[in-house]
C-alpha cells in the first residue's frame, strides 16, 4: 500500500520560476490537503479539497493554486516562486472531511527557491 | 485563527528517561491528536483522544485529554533512540471548515 505519494522529493527553483507539486493517494479518500512546514511554525494549511470537484483556501494560500484532478490526485502550483516559499510541502488525505480521525501524510517535497 | 501552543520546543534527554510534553489551545476542542515526524518523513498519527479526561496508551506512549478540554499531554516512558523526531499535537481548526490545526512541535533528541 503506497498511501500518499508526493513528487518530486526535492526541488530547487530560481525566483520567478513556476512548478507543480504532485500528490496522489490510493486509499479512496475523499478529502485532500496541502500543508507547508517551516522551522518552529508547525504545519500550516495552504489549500484543501473536501471532496472531488471542490477546493478551498487554508491559512496561507497566497502565491499558490491547486487542482483536484480527480479523486486520487491533488496538485499544488507555484506560478512565480519566491524565496519565502522555501519550505517542506506535505500532502495529506482523509476519508472524511471531519478532522477527528486524522490525516495520512506523504513524505514531503523539499523546495528551495534561490 | 486557532492557536495551539506546544511546549517545550525542544528536549535533550538520556536514553531510558521519561519525557513529557503538552499542548494548550485558545478554545475548547472535542478531539486531540498526537503525531510523530521522523527525520525526512511525513507526520504519522500516534494517538487520538475524543473525550475530556481520556487517557490512551500506544506502547510506551500515553496521552491525556485535559479535563478543561483546552489542553493535552503526551508522555513517553523509558525513551529509546528511535523516539527521536518531532512530536506534534493537532486539533480541529476554528471556523466552519474545521481542518486540522497543528502545534509548532516538540523536537526530541535522545542521547545514548
Amino acid at each position: 500500500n503506497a498511501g500518499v505519494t508526493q513528487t518530486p522529493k526535492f526541488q530547487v527553483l530560481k525566483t520567478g520560476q513556476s512548478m507543480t507539486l504532485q500528490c496522489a493517494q490510493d486509499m479512496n479518500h475523499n478529502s485532500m490537503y496541502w500543508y507547508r512546514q517551516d522551522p518552529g511554525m508547525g504545519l500550516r494549511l495552504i489549500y484543501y479539497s473536501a471532496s472531488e470537484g471542490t477546493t478551498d483556501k487554508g491559512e496561507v494560500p497566497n502565491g499558490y493554486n491547486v487542482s483536484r484532478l480527480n479523486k486520487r490526485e491533488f496538485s499544488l502550483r507555484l506560478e512565480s516562486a519566491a524565496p519565502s516559499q522555501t519550505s517542506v510541502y506535505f500532502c495529506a488525505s482523509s476519508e472524511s472531511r471531519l478532522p477527528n480521525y486524522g490525516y495520512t501524510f506523504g513524505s514531503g517535497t523539499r523546495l528551495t527557491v534561490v | 485563527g486557532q492557536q495551539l501552543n506546544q511546549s517545550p520546543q525542544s528536549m535533550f534527554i538520556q536514553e531510558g528517561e521519561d519525557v513529557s510534553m503538552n499542548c494548550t489551545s485558545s478554545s475548547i476542542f472535542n478531539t486531540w491528536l498526537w503525531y510523530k515526524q521522523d527525520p525526512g518523513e511525513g507526520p504519522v498519527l500516534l494517538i487520538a483522544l475524543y473525550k475530556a479526561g481520556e487517557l490512551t496508551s500506544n506502547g510506551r506512549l500515553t496521552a491525556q485529554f485535559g479535563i478543561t478540554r483546552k489542553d493535552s499531554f503526551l508522555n513517553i516512558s523509558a525513551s529509546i533512540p528511535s523516539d527521536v523526531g518531532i512530536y506534534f499535537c493537532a486539533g480541529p481548526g476554528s471556523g466552519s471548515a474545521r481542518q486540522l490545526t497543528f502545534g509548532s512541535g516538540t523536537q526530541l533528541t535522545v542521547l545514548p
Side-chain angles (χ1 to χ4, degrees):
Chain A
N1 243 356
V4 178
T5 303
Q6 292 183 237
T7 56
K9 291 191 181 303
F10 301 93
Q11 184 71 50
V12 178
L13 289 179
K14 294 183 179 179
T15 298
Q17 285 186 319
S18 62
M19 81 161 295
T20 299
L21 281 62
Q22 307 287 352
C23 175
Q25 53 91 8
D26 63 1
M27 297 171 286
N28 202 35
H29 283 174
N30 291 306
S31 302
M32 298 185 73
Y33 314 86
W34 278 104
Y35 283 85
R36 61 177 288 174
Q37 182 180 22
D38 302 293
M41 301 190 72
L43 293 133
R44 293 181 294 167
L45 183 65
I46 305 171
Y47 270 93
Y48 66 98
S49 171
S51 60
E52 187 178 356
T54 69
T55 60
D56 286 285
K57 294 178 180 179
E59 181 185 354
V60 288
N62 290 346
Y64 306 96
N65 284 302
V66 291
S67 295
R68 183 75 183 266
L69 304 170
N70 47 55
K71 191 171 185 179
R72 291 186 64 246
E73 298 173 287
F74 188 38
S75 63
L76 178 72
R77 182 159 178 84
L78 287 70
E79 290 291 351
S80 179
S84 60
Q85 294 178 304
T86 293
S87 188
V88 182
Y89 291 85
F90 288 100
C91 178
S93 69
S94 63
E95 185 173 348
S96 166
R97 64 170 294 166
L98 298 176
N100 299 57
Y101 299 101
Y103 302 161
T104 300
F105 284 85
S107 58
T109 294
R110 283 143 187 84
L111 176 67
T112 302
V113 182
V114 297
Chain B
Q2 186 73 306
Q3 294 277 340
L4 282 184
N5 297 308
Q6 190 170 348
S7 65
Q9 279 193 326
S10 63
M11 302 181 74
F12 292 81
I13 62 168
Q14 296 291 140
E15 184 175 353
E17 288 185 346
D18 297 343
V19 173
S20 292
M21 60 190 78
N22 68 79
C23 201
T24 59
S25 165
S26 56
S27 59
I28 289 173
F29 277 3
N30 59 17
T31 300
W32 280 100
L33 305 172
W34 284 92
Y35 279 82
K36 183 194 177 194
Q37 183 181 24
D38 288 327
E41 297 294 330
V44 174
L45 183 64
L46 297 173
I47 293 176
L49 303 160
Y50 299 108
K51 197 165 64 172
E54 181 180 356
L55 194 69
T56 298
S57 293
N58 178 0
R60 292 176 296 104
L61 278 64
T62 301
Q64 183 166 22
F65 195 139
I67 57 173
T68 66
R69 298 176 63 192
K70 289 187 174 184
D71 54 8
S72 181
F73 310 89
L74 178 69
N75 296 310
I76 305 173
S77 63
S79 58
I80 60 177
S82 61
D83 290 334
V84 164
I86 304 176
Y87 292 80
F88 291 102
C89 60
S94 57
S96 59
R98 297 178 63 75
Q99 305 310 317
L100 268 186
T101 295
F102 286 79
S104 55
T106 295
Q107 172 78 60
L108 179 64
T109 301
V110 180
L111 304 170

